[in-house]
Amino acid sequence: MKTVSETASFGGTQGVYAHQSSVCACEMTFGLYLPPAAAYGPVPVLWYLSGLTCTHENAMTKAGAQGWAAEHGLALVFPDTSPRGDDVADDEAFDLGKGAGFYVNATEKPWAPHYRMWDYIAQELPDLVFDAFPLDREMQAITGHSMGGHGALTLAMTYPDRFSSVSAFSPICNPVDSEWGIKQLGAYLGDDREAWSAHDSSLLMAERGFDGPVLCDTGTKDQFADRLKPETLAAAMAARRQHGAFRMQPGYDHSYFFVASFMEEHVAFHAGAMGLA
C-alpha cells in the first residue's frame, strides 16, 4: 500500500491510499478519514459506497461527512466504484464498465477478470484497512448513494453480523426489474436471474430483512426515480415490519447537494446504532 496524500481535516486526517488488488487484478485507490479519536486507539468504521461514474473522491470531497464523523469518533472508508487501468474492460456508456462496477463479482466476458467488486468490498479491502489502521473490526456500519446505496443494502443484508446499521441515499432498490440493473446485471452475471436476485435489496428485504436499523432517504424530485424504484423497497420494509425508516424528502433530487443535506443525520444514525451517541 502506498500513501497518495494525507490532509488534516476536522482534527483528524483525510488520507488517500493505493494498493495492488489481487481480487480485481489492478491497482485500486480508496479514501480513509481517521477522526482525532484514532490517535488514542481503534475507532468504529462507517463505509461509504459511491454511485455511478464516481471514484473514491466524490463523496470524500462533496458529502461533508468528515466533520460529523470527527464529532462521533467514526472513521470513514471511501472505496472506488470499479477496477481501473488500461487493460480493464470498459464501455462507452456511463452506466457500464469503469465507474459502474455495481458491487458484484462478474462472471461474464470481458468483465470477469477484473470486475470483482463484491469480494473487494466484502473481503480484500476490509482485511487491508483493519490491518493497517487503528480501526475497530467489531464496530462497523455501511451507507451509500444510488448504485452505492444498492451495494450498501445488499452487503448489509448478506453480512448482518458485520454491520450494526445500514443507510442509503437514493438507492437503486429493484435492479432485477429496472433500467439500472437489467443491463448491468445481465452484462456482468449473464442470464442467471437467481444470481441477480442476490443483488436486489427489495428482494433481499422481503426474504431476510436486516437485524439492525435501516435508514433510506430519497428525494421527491429525484430525476432517476423510475430507475431507482424506491416504492419497491418501501413496500418490502413495510410488509416485513423492518426496524427502520424510508423517507421521501420533499424537493430534493439525486445530487450531492441532497446527500450533503442529510449526511449529519445519517452519521448520527450510525453512531447511535453503535452506541456512540
Side-chain angles (χ1 to χ4, degrees):
M1 186 174 63
K2 64 183 180 182
T3 300
V4 177
S5 64
E6 289 183 333
T7 307
S9 177
F10 293 96
T13 302
Q14 176 61 65
V16 177
Y17 307 94
H19 69 106
Q20 190 64 30
S21 168
S22 59
V23 169
C24 296
C26 65
E27 185 175 81
M28 296 293 288
T29 303
F30 65 93
L32 171 68
Y33 176 71
L34 289 175
Y40 305 99
V43 294
V45 182
L46 176 58
W47 294 83
Y48 184 101
L49 306 186
S50 290
L52 287 167
T53 75
C54 292
T55 68
H56 68 281
E57 189 176 25
N58 294 72
M60 191 180 81
T61 59
K62 295 179 180 179
Q66 289 87 344
W68 309 120
E71 181 177 312
H72 292 286
L74 280 170
L76 302 167
V77 184
F78 303 99
D80 203 347
T81 53
S82 77
R84 309 279 174 177
D86 293 340
D87 61 339
V88 174
D90 199 9
D91 191 271
E92 292 182 358
F94 77 94
D95 56 359
L96 186 67
K98 294 179 184 178
F102 259 74
Y103 304 104
V104 303
N105 287 338
T107 58
E108 304 300 302
K109 295 180 179 180
W111 315 106
H114 297 283
Y115 283 77
R116 303 192 62 80
M117 290 302 294
W118 180 271
D119 283 352
Y120 180 69
I121 300 297
Q123 299 173 17
E124 186 178 38
L125 186 57
D127 287 345
L128 177 68
V129 298
F130 284 113
D131 284 346
F133 299 98
L135 306 175
D136 187 345
R137 189 184 285 268
E138 301 305 313
M139 298 185 72
Q140 299 183 61
I142 191 166
T143 187
H145 174 228
S146 193
M147 179 185 74
H150 136 82
L153 289 163
T154 56
L155 280 158
M157 284 186 276
T158 303
Y159 300 104
D161 294 337
R162 183 180 302 184
F163 302 106
S164 61
S165 50
V166 58
S167 73
F169 301 86
S170 305
I172 299 173
C173 299
N174 189 208
V176 303
D177 194 30
S178 166
E179 183 178 338
W180 276 353
I182 294 174
K183 171 184 177 180
Q184 293 83 0
L185 297 179
Y188 295 141
L189 303 178
D191 296 330
D192 182 3
R193 283 187 166 257
E194 185 174 345
W196 296 16
S197 297
H199 298 282
D200 187 297
S201 62
S202 295
L203 297 180
L204 290 176
M205 180 61 68
E207 176 187 334
R208 65 183 72 162
F210 181 64
D211 291 342
V214 177
L215 174 62
C216 289
D217 280 317
T218 299
T220 61
K221 291 189 177 180
D222 194 305
Q223 60 270 45
F224 303 114
D226 59 330
R227 304 177 193 184
L228 304 176
K229 295 187 174 291
E231 65 280 358
T232 61
L233 181 58
M237 288 178 65
R240 189 173 189 84
R241 298 186 178 180
Q242 170 67 44
H243 175 202
F246 195 106
R247 309 186 303 190
M248 298 300 300
Q249 300 292 358
Y252 285 91
D253 64 7
H254 198 72
S255 70
Y256 267 98
F257 295 111
F258 160 66
V259 174
S261 295
F262 297 97
M263 181 56 69
E264 178 184 6
E265 293 183 39
H266 281 243
V267 173
F269 164 76
H270 292 294
M274 288 189 276
L276 305 176

PDB file of all heavy atoms in Angstrom, residues 23-24 28 79-83 101-106 114-122:
ATOM      1  N   VAL A  23      -7.728  -9.289  -5.930  1.00  0.00           N
ATOM      2  CA  VAL A  23      -9.098  -9.618  -6.316  1.00  0.00           C
ATOM      3  C   VAL A  23      -9.451  -9.001  -7.664  1.00  0.00           C
ATOM      4  O   VAL A  23      -9.976  -9.676  -8.560  1.00  0.00           O
ATOM      5  CB  VAL A  23     -10.086  -9.150  -5.226  1.00  0.00           C
ATOM      6  CG1 VAL A  23     -11.522  -9.225  -5.726  1.00  0.00           C
ATOM      7  CG2 VAL A  23      -9.937  -9.994  -3.970  1.00  0.00           C
ATOM      8  N   CYS A  24      -9.169  -7.717  -7.821  1.00  0.00           N
ATOM      9  CA  CYS A  24      -9.514  -7.008  -9.060  1.00  0.00           C
ATOM     10  C   CYS A  24      -8.392  -7.030 -10.098  1.00  0.00           C
ATOM     11  O   CYS A  24      -8.584  -6.562 -11.219  1.00  0.00           O
ATOM     12  CB  CYS A  24      -9.889  -5.562  -8.751  1.00  0.00           C
ATOM     13  SG  CYS A  24     -11.371  -5.387  -7.728  1.00  0.00           S
ATOM     14  N   MET A  28      -5.901  -0.374  -7.043  1.00  0.00           N
ATOM     15  CA  MET A  28      -7.132   0.242  -6.555  1.00  0.00           C
ATOM     16  C   MET A  28      -6.782   1.377  -5.600  1.00  0.00           C
ATOM     17  O   MET A  28      -5.774   1.317  -4.881  1.00  0.00           O
ATOM     18  CB  MET A  28      -8.006  -0.792  -5.841  1.00  0.00           C
ATOM     19  CG  MET A  28      -8.506  -1.914  -6.730  1.00  0.00           C
ATOM     20  SD  MET A  28      -9.683  -1.387  -7.994  1.00  0.00           S
ATOM     21  CE  MET A  28     -11.141  -1.053  -6.988  1.00  0.00           C
ATOM     22  N   PRO A  79     -14.327   3.613  -0.749  1.00  0.00           N
ATOM     23  CA  PRO A  79     -13.745   2.793  -1.817  1.00  0.00           C
ATOM     24  C   PRO A  79     -14.054   3.372  -3.199  1.00  0.00           C
ATOM     25  O   PRO A  79     -14.956   4.206  -3.361  1.00  0.00           O
ATOM     26  CB  PRO A  79     -14.445   1.437  -1.646  1.00  0.00           C
ATOM     27  CG  PRO A  79     -15.108   1.490  -0.304  1.00  0.00           C
ATOM     28  CD  PRO A  79     -15.421   2.926  -0.059  1.00  0.00           C
ATOM     29  N   ASP A  80     -13.326   2.904  -4.187  1.00  0.00           N
ATOM     30  CA  ASP A  80     -13.645   3.219  -5.576  1.00  0.00           C
ATOM     31  C   ASP A  80     -14.850   2.387  -5.995  1.00  0.00           C
ATOM     32  O   ASP A  80     -15.273   1.457  -5.300  1.00  0.00           O
ATOM     33  CB  ASP A  80     -12.446   2.936  -6.476  1.00  0.00           C
ATOM     34  CG  ASP A  80     -12.481   3.725  -7.781  1.00  0.00           C
ATOM     35  OD1 ASP A  80     -13.532   4.307  -8.106  1.00  0.00           O
ATOM     36  OD2 ASP A  80     -11.446   3.747  -8.478  1.00  0.00           O
ATOM     37  N   THR A  81     -15.405   2.703  -7.167  1.00  0.00           N
ATOM     38  CA  THR A  81     -16.621   2.037  -7.633  1.00  0.00           C
ATOM     39  C   THR A  81     -16.373   0.948  -8.671  1.00  0.00           C
ATOM     40  O   THR A  81     -17.306   0.261  -9.066  1.00  0.00           O
ATOM     41  CB  THR A  81     -17.577   3.077  -8.246  1.00  0.00           C
ATOM     42  OG1 THR A  81     -16.864   3.821  -9.252  1.00  0.00           O
ATOM     43  CG2 THR A  81     -18.090   4.034  -7.188  1.00  0.00           C
ATOM     44  N   SER A  82     -15.133   0.810  -9.118  1.00  0.00           N
ATOM     45  CA  SER A  82     -14.838  -0.207 -10.136  1.00  0.00           C
ATOM     46  C   SER A  82     -13.331  -0.386 -10.226  1.00  0.00           C
ATOM     47  O   SER A  82     -12.566   0.439  -9.720  1.00  0.00           O
ATOM     48  CB  SER A  82     -15.378   0.210 -11.509  1.00  0.00           C
ATOM     49  OG  SER A  82     -14.537   1.188 -12.103  1.00  0.00           O
ATOM     50  N   PRO A  83     -12.891  -1.435 -10.896  1.00  0.00           N
ATOM     51  CA  PRO A  83     -11.465  -1.544 -11.200  1.00  0.00           C
ATOM     52  C   PRO A  83     -11.050  -0.481 -12.206  1.00  0.00           C
ATOM     53  O   PRO A  83     -11.891   0.077 -12.925  1.00  0.00           O
ATOM     54  CB  PRO A  83     -11.337  -2.952 -11.786  1.00  0.00           C
ATOM     55  CG  PRO A  83     -12.690  -3.264 -12.327  1.00  0.00           C
ATOM     56  CD  PRO A  83     -13.660  -2.562 -11.421  1.00  0.00           C
ATOM     57  N   GLY A 101     -19.211  -0.538 -11.364  1.00  0.00           N
ATOM     58  CA  GLY A 101     -18.978  -1.930 -11.019  1.00  0.00           C
ATOM     59  C   GLY A 101     -20.146  -2.644 -10.379  1.00  0.00           C
ATOM     60  O   GLY A 101     -20.192  -3.867 -10.333  1.00  0.00           O
ATOM     61  N   PHE A 102     -21.101  -1.893  -9.856  1.00  0.00           N
ATOM     62  CA  PHE A 102     -22.351  -2.410  -9.281  1.00  0.00           C
ATOM     63  C   PHE A 102     -22.147  -3.343  -8.083  1.00  0.00           C
ATOM     64  O   PHE A 102     -23.081  -4.005  -7.654  1.00  0.00           O
ATOM     65  CB  PHE A 102     -23.221  -3.088 -10.344  1.00  0.00           C
ATOM     66  CG  PHE A 102     -24.352  -2.198 -10.812  1.00  0.00           C
ATOM     67  CD1 PHE A 102     -24.104  -1.131 -11.654  1.00  0.00           C
ATOM     68  CD2 PHE A 102     -25.657  -2.411 -10.386  1.00  0.00           C
ATOM     69  CE1 PHE A 102     -25.127  -0.284 -12.072  1.00  0.00           C
ATOM     70  CE2 PHE A 102     -26.690  -1.579 -10.789  1.00  0.00           C
ATOM     71  CZ  PHE A 102     -26.432  -0.509 -11.635  1.00  0.00           C
ATOM     72  N   TYR A 103     -20.926  -3.396  -7.565  1.00  0.00           N
ATOM     73  CA  TYR A 103     -20.648  -4.169  -6.343  1.00  0.00           C
ATOM     74  C   TYR A 103     -21.054  -5.637  -6.489  1.00  0.00           C
ATOM     75  O   TYR A 103     -21.670  -6.215  -5.604  1.00  0.00           O
ATOM     76  CB  TYR A 103     -21.303  -3.487  -5.138  1.00  0.00           C
ATOM     77  CG  TYR A 103     -20.850  -2.055  -5.013  1.00  0.00           C
ATOM     78  CD1 TYR A 103     -21.677  -1.001  -5.392  1.00  0.00           C
ATOM     79  CD2 TYR A 103     -19.564  -1.754  -4.571  1.00  0.00           C
ATOM     80  CE1 TYR A 103     -21.235   0.326  -5.324  1.00  0.00           C
ATOM     81  CE2 TYR A 103     -19.117  -0.427  -4.503  1.00  0.00           C
ATOM     82  CZ  TYR A 103     -19.955   0.594  -4.880  1.00  0.00           C
ATOM     83  OH  TYR A 103     -19.509   1.912  -4.816  1.00  0.00           O
ATOM     84  N   VAL A 104     -20.694  -6.218  -7.643  1.00  0.00           N
ATOM     85  CA  VAL A 104     -20.926  -7.645  -7.898  1.00  0.00           C
ATOM     86  C   VAL A 104     -19.617  -8.276  -8.372  1.00  0.00           C
ATOM     87  O   VAL A 104     -18.668  -7.575  -8.751  1.00  0.00           O
ATOM     88  CB  VAL A 104     -22.026  -7.881  -8.960  1.00  0.00           C
ATOM     89  CG1 VAL A 104     -23.335  -7.224  -8.533  1.00  0.00           C
ATOM     90  CG2 VAL A 104     -21.593  -7.361 -10.334  1.00  0.00           C
ATOM     91  N   ASN A 105     -19.555  -9.599  -8.350  1.00  0.00           N
ATOM     92  CA  ASN A 105     -18.452 -10.354  -8.946  1.00  0.00           C
ATOM     93  C   ASN A 105     -18.875 -10.783 -10.341  1.00  0.00           C
ATOM     94  O   ASN A 105     -19.721 -11.675 -10.491  1.00  0.00           O
ATOM     95  CB  ASN A 105     -18.124 -11.593  -8.118  1.00  0.00           C
ATOM     96  CG  ASN A 105     -17.420 -11.267  -6.822  1.00  0.00           C
ATOM     97  OD1 ASN A 105     -16.817 -10.205  -6.678  1.00  0.00           O
ATOM     98  ND2 ASN A 105     -17.501 -12.180  -5.869  1.00  0.00           N
ATOM     99  N   ALA A 106     -18.299 -10.176 -11.367  1.00  0.00           N
ATOM    100  CA  ALA A 106     -18.674 -10.508 -12.737  1.00  0.00           C
ATOM    101  C   ALA A 106     -18.232 -11.928 -13.083  1.00  0.00           C
ATOM    102  O   ALA A 106     -17.150 -12.379 -12.694  1.00  0.00           O
ATOM    103  CB  ALA A 106     -18.053  -9.517 -13.709  1.00  0.00           C
ATOM    104  N   HIS A 114     -11.532  -8.668 -13.970  1.00  0.00           N
ATOM    105  CA  HIS A 114     -11.260  -7.539 -13.068  1.00  0.00           C
ATOM    106  C   HIS A 114     -12.454  -7.121 -12.219  1.00  0.00           C
ATOM    107  O   HIS A 114     -12.254  -6.608 -11.104  1.00  0.00           O
ATOM    108  CB  HIS A 114     -10.796  -6.325 -13.881  1.00  0.00           C
ATOM    109  CG  HIS A 114      -9.521  -6.542 -14.623  1.00  0.00           C
ATOM    110  ND1 HIS A 114      -8.283  -6.529 -14.022  1.00  0.00           N
ATOM    111  CD2 HIS A 114      -9.286  -6.795 -15.938  1.00  0.00           C
ATOM    112  CE1 HIS A 114      -7.341  -6.752 -14.917  1.00  0.00           C
ATOM    113  NE2 HIS A 114      -7.930  -6.925 -16.094  1.00  0.00           N
ATOM    114  N   TYR A 115     -13.649  -7.290 -12.713  1.00  0.00           N
ATOM    115  CA  TYR A 115     -14.825  -6.741 -12.029  1.00  0.00           C
ATOM    116  C   TYR A 115     -15.311  -7.687 -10.929  1.00  0.00           C
ATOM    117  O   TYR A 115     -16.283  -8.417 -11.080  1.00  0.00           O
ATOM    118  CB  TYR A 115     -15.940  -6.458 -13.047  1.00  0.00           C
ATOM    119  CG  TYR A 115     -15.687  -5.209 -13.844  1.00  0.00           C
ATOM    120  CD1 TYR A 115     -14.764  -5.203 -14.890  1.00  0.00           C
ATOM    121  CD2 TYR A 115     -16.338  -4.019 -13.552  1.00  0.00           C
ATOM    122  CE1 TYR A 115     -14.495  -4.058 -15.616  1.00  0.00           C
ATOM    123  CE2 TYR A 115     -16.090  -2.858 -14.274  1.00  0.00           C
ATOM    124  CZ  TYR A 115     -15.160  -2.889 -15.304  1.00  0.00           C
ATOM    125  OH  TYR A 115     -14.896  -1.730 -16.014  1.00  0.00           O
ATOM    126  N   ARG A 116     -14.609  -7.623  -9.793  1.00  0.00           N
ATOM    127  CA  ARG A 116     -14.948  -8.448  -8.636  1.00  0.00           C
ATOM    128  C   ARG A 116     -15.104  -7.527  -7.423  1.00  0.00           C
ATOM    129  O   ARG A 116     -14.455  -7.701  -6.378  1.00  0.00           O
ATOM    130  CB  ARG A 116     -13.898  -9.525  -8.413  1.00  0.00           C
ATOM    131  CG  ARG A 116     -13.707 -10.429  -9.629  1.00  0.00           C
ATOM    132  CD  ARG A 116     -12.892 -11.658  -9.315  1.00  0.00           C
ATOM    133  NE  ARG A 116     -13.527 -12.517  -8.329  1.00  0.00           N
ATOM    134  CZ  ARG A 116     -14.500 -13.381  -8.582  1.00  0.00           C
ATOM    135  NH1 ARG A 116     -14.978 -13.501  -9.821  1.00  0.00           N
ATOM    136  NH2 ARG A 116     -15.017 -14.114  -7.622  1.00  0.00           N
ATOM    137  N   MET A 117     -15.990  -6.562  -7.572  1.00  0.00           N
ATOM    138  CA  MET A 117     -16.156  -5.533  -6.554  1.00  0.00           C
ATOM    139  C   MET A 117     -16.814  -6.056  -5.288  1.00  0.00           C
ATOM    140  O   MET A 117     -16.600  -5.511  -4.205  1.00  0.00           O
ATOM    141  CB  MET A 117     -16.944  -4.352  -7.120  1.00  0.00           C
ATOM    142  CG  MET A 117     -16.180  -3.539  -8.159  1.00  0.00           C
ATOM    143  SD  MET A 117     -14.623  -2.852  -7.532  1.00  0.00           S
ATOM    144  CE  MET A 117     -15.225  -1.697  -6.301  1.00  0.00           C
ATOM    145  N   TRP A 118     -17.612  -7.119  -5.392  1.00  0.00           N
ATOM    146  CA  TRP A 118     -18.214  -7.694  -4.181  1.00  0.00           C
ATOM    147  C   TRP A 118     -17.120  -8.229  -3.262  1.00  0.00           C
ATOM    148  O   TRP A 118     -17.063  -7.891  -2.080  1.00  0.00           O
ATOM    149  CB  TRP A 118     -19.190  -8.804  -4.561  1.00  0.00           C
ATOM    150  CG  TRP A 118     -19.848  -9.445  -3.371  1.00  0.00           C
ATOM    151  CD1 TRP A 118     -19.380 -10.515  -2.651  1.00  0.00           C
ATOM    152  CD2 TRP A 118     -21.069  -9.041  -2.745  1.00  0.00           C
ATOM    153  NE1 TRP A 118     -20.249 -10.811  -1.618  1.00  0.00           N
ATOM    154  CE2 TRP A 118     -21.290  -9.918  -1.657  1.00  0.00           C
ATOM    155  CE3 TRP A 118     -22.012  -8.039  -3.008  1.00  0.00           C
ATOM    156  CZ2 TRP A 118     -22.400  -9.815  -0.822  1.00  0.00           C
ATOM    157  CZ3 TRP A 118     -23.130  -7.937  -2.184  1.00  0.00           C
ATOM    158  CH2 TRP A 118     -23.315  -8.817  -1.108  1.00  0.00           C
ATOM    159  N   ASP A 119     -16.232  -9.058  -3.805  1.00  0.00           N
ATOM    160  CA  ASP A 119     -15.147  -9.603  -2.995  1.00  0.00           C
ATOM    161  C   ASP A 119     -14.203  -8.508  -2.521  1.00  0.00           C
ATOM    162  O   ASP A 119     -13.643  -8.597  -1.419  1.00  0.00           O
ATOM    163  CB  ASP A 119     -14.361 -10.652  -3.782  1.00  0.00           C
ATOM    164  CG  ASP A 119     -15.090 -11.983  -3.868  1.00  0.00           C
ATOM    165  OD1 ASP A 119     -16.134 -12.146  -3.204  1.00  0.00           O
ATOM    166  OD2 ASP A 119     -14.618 -12.859  -4.626  1.00  0.00           O
ATOM    167  N   TYR A 120     -14.023  -7.490  -3.341  1.00  0.00           N
ATOM    168  CA  TYR A 120     -13.127  -6.392  -2.959  1.00  0.00           C
ATOM    169  C   TYR A 120     -13.668  -5.645  -1.744  1.00  0.00           C
ATOM    170  O   TYR A 120     -12.930  -5.397  -0.784  1.00  0.00           O
ATOM    171  CB  TYR A 120     -12.940  -5.434  -4.132  1.00  0.00           C
ATOM    172  CG  TYR A 120     -12.030  -4.265  -3.802  1.00  0.00           C
ATOM    173  CD1 TYR A 120     -10.667  -4.472  -3.597  1.00  0.00           C
ATOM    174  CD2 TYR A 120     -12.538  -2.976  -3.676  1.00  0.00           C
ATOM    175  CE1 TYR A 120      -9.830  -3.414  -3.276  1.00  0.00           C
ATOM    176  CE2 TYR A 120     -11.713  -1.913  -3.348  1.00  0.00           C
ATOM    177  CZ  TYR A 120     -10.357  -2.135  -3.154  1.00  0.00           C
ATOM    178  OH  TYR A 120      -9.530  -1.080  -2.816  1.00  0.00           O
ATOM    179  N   ILE A 121     -14.955  -5.313  -1.770  1.00  0.00           N
ATOM    180  CA  ILE A 121     -15.555  -4.557  -0.664  1.00  0.00           C
ATOM    181  C   ILE A 121     -15.808  -5.449   0.543  1.00  0.00           C
ATOM    182  O   ILE A 121     -15.649  -5.027   1.692  1.00  0.00           O
ATOM    183  CB  ILE A 121     -16.872  -3.892  -1.113  1.00  0.00           C
ATOM    184  CG1 ILE A 121     -16.629  -2.923  -2.277  1.00  0.00           C
ATOM    185  CG2 ILE A 121     -17.533  -3.162   0.061  1.00  0.00           C
ATOM    186  CD1 ILE A 121     -15.736  -1.749  -1.933  1.00  0.00           C
ATOM    187  N   ALA A 122     -16.205  -6.690   0.308  1.00  0.00           N
ATOM    188  CA  ALA A 122     -16.565  -7.580   1.417  1.00  0.00           C
ATOM    189  C   ALA A 122     -15.358  -8.216   2.089  1.00  0.00           C
ATOM    190  O   ALA A 122     -15.422  -8.547   3.281  1.00  0.00           O
ATOM    191  CB  ALA A 122     -17.503  -8.676   0.916  1.00  0.00           C
TER     192      ALA A 122
END
